[in-house]
Amino acid sequence: MFILIFEQLVKMFFIMLLAILCYKIKLVNQEGNKTVSNLLLLVVNPFVIITTYQTDYKPELVRGLLISFGAAVLCHIVGILVTTLLIRPKGSPDANIERYNAMYSNCGFIGIPLINSVLGSNGVFFLSAYIVVFNLFSWTHGVVLMEKKFSWKNVRKGLMSPMVIATIIAVLLFFSRIRFPEVVLDSMNYVADMNTPLAMMVAGFSVAQTDILKMCTKLRVYFSCFLKLVLIPVIMIFILKIIPLPQDVAMTTLIASACPAATTGTMMAIRYKQNYTYSSEMFALSTILAVATIPLIVLLAETVL
């Protein structure tokens, strides 16, 4: 699996480099970036989830899905504990930004194509549970970090996110055993197949907007990336060693936790008037470093598990 992960990340990295070039030569501007992001979030990613659930009903899949929910909740609790203990408000005026980016993963944009390439549709099936839990936590705990207060309105908003709605629809279709006609499903699969290139294009456009040289001189950015890309995934490896889970579920949870910082970190920083430039720097650096760290985390997991 190490080789598969590494090869897939290299392919994704080259797409990201192409996106950086397109942005730098002004073939794409910020408005284009927003359009592609919306297309990915509102159309392509939901189609990935729905088509993944268009499979035969199997008890082992249902059991794996329920276990995935539990594993995802545990992973986010670990993230909260680690970031709360190791990122102290006295150490930085933007500690809330660092905490958010150090624990919340880009499990949708990068996690879906990566897991689909190495674990197939079953992996994406189980990943949908992680994405739902991610949305619940990011719109509750994540908003508390950004806004410094809790709001049920934000919880409702998190529950109405496109990925959560798509997952609910997909689950209902799965349990009711309703299958789309082949011609419709094939069309949806064509759209879903755009996920990898579009996701990496969005990542590339975001990286292109940061001052990479300036970003590389900020030590605290490296510390946040270390927590996100190394410490939390390593802790999860040893937790998964203690709590034996089905292999696909364990690797899906681990890879999702090892993904770089979530794009929503920058979006929320803008929404709640936080330091969004700093957030975008953490997103950019973690995305670049993840090309090396994710394969190493998977290699360690294969050794330990």
Side-chain angles (χ1 to χ4, degrees), residues 1-301:
M1 187 178 290
F2 168 81
I3 298 298
L4 286 174
I5 287 279
F6 181 74
E7 288 180 347
Q8 180 64 17
L9 280 166
V10 169
K11 295 173 187 175
M12 293 166 70
F13 183 70
F14 280 123
I15 298 173
M16 186 171 71
L17 288 179
L18 175 61
I20 293 173
L21 176 63
C22 289
Y23 195 90
K24 291 295 185 183
I25 65 175
K26 303 188 186 305
L27 188 62
V28 178
N29 56 19
Q30 180 57 26
E31 190 61 33
N33 182 21
K34 183 178 179 181
T35 300
V36 176
S37 297
N38 286 336
L39 181 65
L40 187 62
L41 179 66
L42 301 176
V43 179
V44 178
N45 275 355
F47 270 41
V48 171
I49 296 298
I50 291 172
T51 55
T52 297
Y53 277 74
Q54 287 288 291
T55 186
D56 294 333
Y57 179 93
K58 297 175 184 177
E60 58 268 26
L61 284 179
V62 177
R63 178 175 174 272
L65 187 66
L66 295 175
I67 294 173
S68 296
F69 271 107
V73 170
L74 178 61
C75 183
H76 282 80
I77 291 173
V78 168
I80 291 173
L81 292 175
V82 170
T83 55
T84 301
L85 289 172
L86 298 183
I87 300 177
R88 309 304 298 174
K90 292 181 180 179
S92 169
D94 295 312
N96 54 341
I97 296 288
E98 294 171 349
R99 285 178 176 177
Y100 190 100
N101 283 278
M103 75 160 284
Y104 288 107
S105 291
N106 203 345
C107 54
F109 285 5
I110 291 180
I112 288 175
L114 188 57
I115 288 173
N116 188 51
S117 68
V118 294
L119 296 173
S121 58
N122 278 6
V124 178
F125 187 90
F126 299 140
L127 178 64
S128 65
Y130 193 99
I131 291 171
V132 170
V133 173
F134 163 85
N135 278 286
L136 292 175
F137 272 83
S138 65
W139 284 99
T140 50
H141 168 262
V143 171
V144 170
L145 284 179
M146 295 290 183
E147 203 176 23
K148 299 181 177 63
K149 66 180 181 180
F150 177 81
S151 167
W152 282 109
K153 179 181 178 181
N154 290 320
V155 176
R156 289 194 297 271
K157 187 164 186 176
L159 290 172
M160 294 301 292
S161 68
M163 291 300 288
V164 173
I165 292 173
T167 301
I168 292 172
I169 293 172
V171 168
L172 290 174
L173 292 173
F174 174 74
F175 279 103
S176 60
R177 308 189 188 190
I178 296 174
R179 301 288 294 272
F180 291 116
E182 188 172 344
V183 65
V184 174
L185 187 58
D186 285 345
S187 299
M188 295 176 71
N189 278 320
Y190 284 138
V191 175
D193 288 342
M194 293 191 293
N195 183 72
T196 300
L198 288 183
M200 296 318 297
M201 283 284 183
V202 170
F205 297 150
S206 299
V207 171
Q209 296 173 62
T210 61
D211 186 335
I212 296 179
L213 292 178
K214 183 180 178 182
M215 172 187 73
C216 291
T217 63
K218 296 182 178 180
L219 294 180
R220 286 197 67 90
V221 177
Y222 287 97
F223 180 63
S224 296
C225 289
F226 170 75
L227 298 183
K228 176 74 209 67
L229 301 174
V230 180
L231 185 59
I232 292 175
V234 167
I235 292 173
M236 284 306 302
I237 288 175
F238 289 98
I239 290 176
L240 293 172
K241 175 71 174 178
I242 297 171
I243 309 173
L245 300 179
Q247 185 71 10
D248 281 0
V249 173
M251 292 308 296
T252 296
T253 303
L254 178 63
I255 294 172
S257 72
C259 282
T263 53
T264 53
T266 301
M267 296 175 190
M268 283 198 170
I270 293 171
R271 178 183 178 88
Y272 296 107
K273 297 180 175 59
Q274 299 293 325
N275 190 348
Y276 64 87
T277 302
Y278 188 39
S279 183
S280 67
E281 288 173 345
M282 278 185 274
F283 165 79
L285 186 61
S286 65
T287 301
I288 294 169
L289 294 177
V291 176
T293 59
I294 294 177
L296 293 176
I297 289 295
V298 170
L299 182 62
L300 177 62

